[in-house]
Amino acid sequence: MRFVAWISRDRRWPVLEAALKHLRERWPKNQPAGLVWGDARLGNIMFDDDFEVVAVMDWEQPSLGGALNDLAWWLFLSDAMHSTGSGRPHLEGMGTRAETIQLWRDVTGVSTDDLDWYEDFTALKISCLSVSTAAIKGAPMPDHARLARRLNLHLDD
């Protein structure tokens, strides 16, 4: 992933490099084609008065990587921002993880095999974004401990 190389141009990030290596070693067999929105999350959806979706916003990360990327992004950020990952109870009215995956399979007809790989890839992308965001804001750089734990990475340096 070129993002890791770009992030590492001024500073080495062993955890990002190890995560990328880990993902390359486990490349998914299930790679459904399709457009990736790139920031599939509740805050980027506009609803009308009847709660029908009228727009999806924030198209800064589109790709042709396949829709499992968006499902993984949605699940990861739903947990991190709207649920137990952020110390909050599950957001009432939102499907559970299992319900969301099942609904996605029912609506798309696409297998969710290898979804764990796509979620790990999302964790890597979020970690890369945290570096670039911290640099822009002049904030302290992240330690990526969550990514290392998620991928069970053991780093020597």
Side-chain angles (χ1 to χ4, degrees):
M1 186 169 120
R2 290 182 299 228
F3 201 6
V4 173
W6 182 74
I7 291 292
S8 301
R9 69 191 182 284
D10 297 324
R11 175 181 172 177
R12 192 164 168 261
W13 293 96
V15 69
L16 300 180
E17 294 165 6
L20 184 57
K21 180 179 184 284
H22 178 77
L23 287 165
R24 284 184 172 150
E25 290 170 351
R26 298 176 37 239
W27 205 254
K29 291 181 177 83
N30 184 21
Q31 299 179 29
L35 177 66
V36 177
W37 172 7
D39 199 1
R41 61 186 181 88
L42 191 57
N44 286 334
I45 302 173
M46 183 182 295
F47 299 91
D48 65 14
D49 293 337
D50 296 319
F51 300 104
E52 295 292 324
V53 175
V54 295
V56 291
M57 300 170 282
D58 197 351
W59 285 83
E60 296 169 349
Q61 302 181 76
S63 74
L64 295 175
L68 279 175
N69 284 284
D70 278 337
L71 176 59
W73 190 272
W74 178 273
L75 292 169
F76 188 90
L77 288 182
S78 289
D79 180 60
M81 297 174 81
H82 305 297
S83 192
T84 55
S86 61
R88 298 179 181 104
H90 183 77
L91 189 59
E92 187 177 337
M94 295 294 292
T96 64
R97 173 186 168 79
E99 291 168 339
T100 301
I101 293 168
Q102 185 61 53
L103 176 63
W104 192 87
R105 275 194 302 251
D106 292 347
V107 169
T108 67
V110 176
S111 168
T112 55
D113 290 351
D114 297 324
L115 179 58
D116 58 329
W117 185 94
Y118 291 91
E119 290 180 279
D120 291 347
F121 183 50
T122 294
L124 173 59
K125 290 188 293 185
I126 294 290
S127 290
C128 289
L129 287 169
S130 70
V131 170
S132 61
T133 300
I136 289 168
K137 292 183 173 186
M141 286 293 156
D143 68 4
H144 305 292
R146 182 177 179 180
L147 175 65
R149 281 190 309 273
R150 178 181 181 89
L151 300 182
N152 198 27
L153 301 174
H154 303 285
L155 304 172
D156 296 328
D157 51 315

